[in-house]
């Protein structure tokens, strides 16, 4: 299993950051590894809401459907995705900090079946992907989006 954990601080308040990041379709705006992202359905974002993403990972385009499995505004949101080859669990927490919010992104990625053999290589690649996503989020927040 690969694990990624990192934090970013912003001057924006926790409720605003929670609303923005709990709508996982926003990943297309800040994560360079996300090619497409859309919310499925018209209902407001809540526990059970699903998002369809097309991600680029290790030279492949991979379609993933994420579902919110924890929805605790404005404190935390957790997304889970499972395909035939991978299980992903992404938890984002929001803590008030000096004049804003500390956003912590904690993600686990586990390969399934025969792909488990590539686990050690997955960790290195996942760290790079996570670092690019965090840099993209920081840049997006600094630009005022």
């Amino acid at each position: 299993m690969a694990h990624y954990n990192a934090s970013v601080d912003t001057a924006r308040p926790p409720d605003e950051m929670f609303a923005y990041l709990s709508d996982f379709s926003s990943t297309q705006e800040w994560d360079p590894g996300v090619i497409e992202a859309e919310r499925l359905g018209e209902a407001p974002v809540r526990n059970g809401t699903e998002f369809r993403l097309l991600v680029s990972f290790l030279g492949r385009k991979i379609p993933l459907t994420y579902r919110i499995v924890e929805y605790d505004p404005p404190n935390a949101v957790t997304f889970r995705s499972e395909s035939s080859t991978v299980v992903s669990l992404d938890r984002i927490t929001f803590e008030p900090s000096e004049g804003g919010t500390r956003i912590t992104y904690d993600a686990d990625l586990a390969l399934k079946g025969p792909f488990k053999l590539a686990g050690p290589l997955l960790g290195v690649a996942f760290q790079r992907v996570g670092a690019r996503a965090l840099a993209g989020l920081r840049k997006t927040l600094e630009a005022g989006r």
Side-chain angles (χ1 to χ4, degrees):
M1 177 178 352
H3 182 81
Y4 181 78
N5 182 284
S7 297
V8 62
D9 292 308
T10 179
R12 294 179 174 188
D15 57 340
E16 180 184 330
M17 291 295 80
F18 181 89
Y20 177 64
L21 293 172
S22 66
D23 183 342
F24 218 40
S25 64
S26 72
T27 56
Q28 188 174 355
E29 298 173 12
W30 53 267
D31 186 339
V34 176
I35 300 164
E36 297 173 7
E38 66 175 325
R39 179 167 33 137
L40 302 179
E42 302 283 325
V45 174
R46 61 178 182 236
N47 200 41
T49 300
E50 293 184 329
F51 303 87
R52 187 171 320 151
L53 278 65
L54 181 62
V55 300
S56 175
F57 188 69
L58 298 176
R60 295 182 53 214
K61 291 181 180 178
I62 304 168
L64 296 170
T65 299
Y66 282 86
R67 170 185 280 261
I68 294 178
V69 295
E70 175 194 21
Y71 188 75
D72 179 21
N75 304 305
V77 62
T78 302
F79 304 90
R80 185 177 191 283
S81 178
E82 184 169 358
S83 71
S84 60
T85 58
V86 68
V87 176
S88 177
L89 195 63
D90 298 47
R91 185 168 198 261
I92 308 171
T93 57
F94 307 84
E95 297 176 88
S97 65
E98 294 180 29
T101 306
R102 169 161 283 187
I103 301 165
T104 301
Y105 202 103
D106 195 340
D108 289 313
L109 189 66
L111 295 173
K112 294 170 58 177
F115 295 99
K116 285 183 180 180
L117 297 175
L121 298 174
L122 178 68
V124 173
F126 196 47
Q127 291 298 314
R128 280 192 233 132
V129 167
R132 283 194 302 265
L134 189 70
L137 178 58
R138 184 174 284 119
K139 182 178 177 182
T140 298
L141 295 176
E142 289 172 358
R145 286 184 249 160

